[in-house]
Amino acid sequence: MTAGADDAAVLTSVSGGLARIELNKPRAINALSTDMIDAIAAALEEWRGDDSVSAVLLTGRGERGLCAGGDIKAIHRSLVSGSGEAEEFWRREYRMNHTIANYPKPFVAIMDGFTMGGGVGVAAYGSHRIVTETSKVGMPETGIGLFPDVGGTWLLARVPLRAGMHLALTGEPVGPADAIRYGLADTFVPQEQLPALFEALAADPADVDSVVAGFAVVPPDSQLSPDEEWIAETYDRGTALETVEALAAHPSPRAQEAAALIRTKSPLSVAVTFEMVRTAEDMTLDQVLERDLAAGLEIGRHPDLREGIRAQVIDKDRNPQWNPASLEELDPATVTAVVGAVTDRKVFA
């Protein structure tokens, strides 16, 4: 193992042409820190030109999931102290996302258990994205005062039937069937078959397509497909506020529940997310990642990101006091300033 001690936050190894990246912070559901991002990026760069490596396999240690996202406690500390740590974290993370999306070798991501936020960023750009019966895949950022970053708006903008906008605004995760249905994953493999899959990949890393296909089975039923009609009918509005009003007025109880759920999220985050998903369809991933950095720096100047992280993971009172408190009170100019933020600080220098 090139990562050193077995208690390192990222473990890397190569066996039989299969390179492995194991996220190793199970107590934190493998939440990403800057040093973890650097370790992943360094390993991928080392293996890029190594002819003895045919494919890369990403997994997360522990029973709870691949990765619950980024280390948002560290982001909170940075925002409070003004240290600039959050900016550097985002820049390095987005470069890593770009590297995975453009990696020249098969990149197999096991999206077992919780795969949220930054976890989507390390997995959903892989060439082979595998889910199990435990998978919960989502971008919950509106609940902490952010937006689906790591290029999440680019991914969600490409989900059909406006379901991507629903997932973005509510922050609700989807299970394995819907992760595949909406283009966030490719293949369902039962969790009990993962060890055998890993062995087969190590034995034949030059033929990842055939190996993965040999373990693929039909996923469980979709949970969200029965809702696609009201989703398509309500998420076609011109603003976030109009969308929430349409949801609340729809006869489907599920639509009304979605409206109530969105109302609990940061109004600024909801409105910013709406605009970013709406416009990301016509952008490249590189452009979206650059916008994510600029918008992240701008939204971090507002109180909701600090307040959302405080309420969710620091004080854990789950009672954020958003400012402003409602979409009706939100100044559209504030949304425009975040979405259209310009900075000379770039992801790709």
Side-chain angles (χ1 to χ4, degrees):
M1 288 195 178
T2 58
D6 192 56
D7 60 354
V10 174
L11 305 173
T12 62
S13 60
V14 179
S15 176
L18 179 67
R20 290 198 61 172
I21 298 172
E22 297 177 88
L23 307 183
N24 187 34
K25 289 203 306 187
R27 293 180 62 185
I29 320 181
N30 300 312
L32 295 171
S33 58
T34 302
D35 65 320
M36 294 173 70
I37 290 167
D38 289 347
I40 295 168
L44 291 175
E45 185 59 31
E46 177 184 347
W47 298 330
R48 179 189 296 272
D50 186 343
D51 292 340
S52 69
V53 172
S54 299
V56 178
L57 172 64
L58 171 72
T59 60
R61 288 198 169 185
E63 298 179 353
R64 299 173 67 191
L66 172 66
C67 176
D71 184 353
I72 58 176
K73 288 185 179 179
I75 291 174
H76 185 271
R77 289 195 301 270
S78 175
L79 294 172
V80 171
S81 68
S83 68
E85 181 183 353
E87 176 187 340
E88 193 57 30
F89 172 84
W90 285 327
R91 180 183 288 109
R92 296 185 189 191
E93 183 180 26
Y94 301 163
R95 286 175 182 164
M96 178 192 63
N97 301 144
H98 178 268
T99 295
I100 294 170
N102 293 279
Y103 206 62
K105 299 179 180 183
F107 186 100
V108 184
I110 307 300
M111 303 168 74
D112 193 34
F114 287 105
T115 304
M116 312 284 278
V120 172
V122 295
Y125 299 118
S127 60
H128 298 74
R129 305 164 302 173
I130 295 171
V131 285
T132 74
E133 63 272 23
T134 71
S135 295
K136 294 184 181 299
V137 182
M139 302 294 294
E141 285 78 6
T142 55
I144 61 165
L146 190 58
F147 52 84
D149 66 332
V150 297
T153 56
W154 185 86
L155 290 166
L156 294 170
R158 285 154 177 77
V159 173
L161 303 173
R162 300 190 176 89
M165 186 68 83
H166 170 72
L167 299 178
L169 298 189
T170 63
E172 287 288 271
V174 294
D178 288 322
I180 295 171
R181 183 179 182 86
Y182 300 125
L184 301 175
D186 306 301
T187 306
F188 178 82
V189 175
Q191 189 181 54
E192 65 179 12
Q193 290 296 310
L194 292 180
L197 171 63
F198 300 163
E199 290 182 7
L201 286 170
D204 192 8
D207 194 6
V208 171
D209 288 347
S210 295
V211 172
V212 171
F215 285 84
V217 299
V218 176
D221 292 339
S222 165
Q223 298 299 303
L224 199 56
S225 59
D227 298 326
E228 287 174 350
E229 183 174 352
W230 62 258
I231 287 173
E233 291 173 356
T234 53
Y235 284 92
D236 64 345
R237 302 307 195 266
T239 67
L241 177 57
E242 291 171 352
T243 297
V244 173
E245 291 175 339
L247 286 165
H250 197 278
S252 168
R254 290 276 293 153
Q256 296 167 25
E257 290 169 7
L261 178 59
I262 295 170
R263 286 285 192 183
T264 69
K265 311 298 182 180
S266 160
L268 175 58
S269 293
V270 167
V272 164
T273 296
F274 181 91
E275 289 301 318
M276 292 179 81
V277 173
R278 186 180 64 82
T279 54
E281 188 174 1
D282 297 324
M283 299 172 67
T284 67
L285 176 59
D286 290 14
Q287 289 171 331
V288 169
L289 289 170
E290 288 286 10
R291 182 173 70 174
D292 283 355
L293 179 60
L297 294 174
E298 182 64 27
I299 207 169
R301 298 187 178 100
H302 295 266
D304 276 9
L305 183 52
R306 295 188 296 275
E307 173 63 7
I309 297 173
R310 178 207 65 77
Q312 293 298 325
V313 301
I314 297 176
D315 296 339
K316 298 182 180 180
D317 58 31
R318 307 292 194 270
N319 185 32
Q321 301 302 303
W322 304 123
N323 183 14
S326 70
L327 285 166
E328 286 83 355
E329 299 170 71
L330 182 62
D331 184 352
T334 304
V335 178
T336 300
V338 174
V339 176
V342 176
T343 177
D344 57 2
R345 300 163 181 172
K346 301 296 183 183
V347 176
F348 309 109

